[in-house]
Every structure is written in structure tokens, then in C-alpha cells.
């Protein structure tokens, strides 16, 4: 069993369209800074099946636009799908992005690369989504 300290928080994200990448970096950074954890790691978990989470560039917005276009090309909304809800493309894209991330915490801050941002990835919106943040000290 770990002797480390951990906390869990939940943030809520409103998405704006069927497909939407929402930059949640500052919301996550606020939780890390409020925790007073100096060193450890931050696990982010998306408890959904048609939205995911990823890290990518948050400087040139065309990077996210290009990812969205490439995903749409790779996994079109209509196709040879059997899932009764009719949103198979959203399930596939969510799995491609993944449902959790881990980011180091150093000097009390989220330790991301210069060009990196954290994105909640919506594929069947607009909806209200949850992101669970688990912070570990140690
Ligand atoms: Zn479904």
C-alpha cells in the first residue's frame, strides 16, 4: 500500500459541437496548484465512451483543426457500423484518443512541455463531460 497522499477532483466541461477539442490545461493546472503537492503526478480520467483525452499543441490552433479533420477522414460518421445508437464513429475516435493521461508534477506545477496543452476530445456532442483528476504526492 502506498504511503503517498492522493486527492480526487472532478471538473465539468461543456462541449460545443459533435466534434470539439476543449483546452482544459488551465483548469487542471489550477487543481494542481490548489493541492499544494510539490512533486508527484496527475492522472486524468474521462469516464465516458464517446469522448477522450489527449495532449497536443495549444499554440497554433490549426494543429487541433488538422487532428479533427484527419480523424473525420479516418473515421467518418456514416459507414458499415452495427451499433444500435448510430454513434460508432464517436466510440472509435474516443478509443483512438484514449481515456486517461498522466502528467508529472514538479515544483508544485503541472509539468508539460512548452507547446503542450491538455484537451478533452468530444466526438458525440454537444454535451457536458466530466474529467476526473487524481493527484498523487510522492
Ligand atoms: Zn453508442
Amino acid at each position: 500500500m502506498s504511503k503517498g497522499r492522493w486527492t480526487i477532483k472532478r471538473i465539468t466541461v461543456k462541449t460545443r459541437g459533435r466534434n470539439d477539442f476543449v483546452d482544459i490545461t488551465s483548469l487542471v493546472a489550477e487543481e494542481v496548484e490548489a493541492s499544494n503537492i510539490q512533486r508527484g503526478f496527475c492522472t486524468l480520467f474521462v469516464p465516458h465512451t464517446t469522448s477522450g483525452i489527449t495532449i497536443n499543441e495549444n499554440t497554433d490552433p490549426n494543429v487541433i483543426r488538422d487532428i479533427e479533420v484527419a480523424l473525420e477522414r479516418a473515421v467518418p460518421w456514416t459507414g458499415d457500423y452495427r451499433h444500435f445508437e448510430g454513434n460508432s464513429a464517436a466510440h472509435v475516435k474516443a478509443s483512438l484518443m484514449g481515456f486517461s493521461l498522466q502528467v508529472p508534477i514538479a515544483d508544485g506545477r503541472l509539468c508539460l512541455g512548452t507547446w503542450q496543452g491538455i484537451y478533452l476530445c468530444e466526438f458525440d456532442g454537444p454535451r457536458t463531460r466530466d474529467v476526473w483528476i487524481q493527484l498523487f504526492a510522492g
Side-chain angles (χ1 to χ4, degrees), residues 7 9 13 31 56-57 59 62 75 92 96 100 113 118 121 130 133:
T7 59
K9 307 270 183 173
V13 181
E31 295 294 345
N56 218 298
E57 178 166 334
T59 303
N62 279 328
V75 190
V92 173
L96 288 172
S100 70
I118 302 168
C121 314
D130 290 331
I133 304 177

Side-chain angles (χ1 to χ4, degrees), residues 50 83 85 87 91:
T50 54
H83 173 41
E85 274 190 316
N87 63 352
H91 290 283

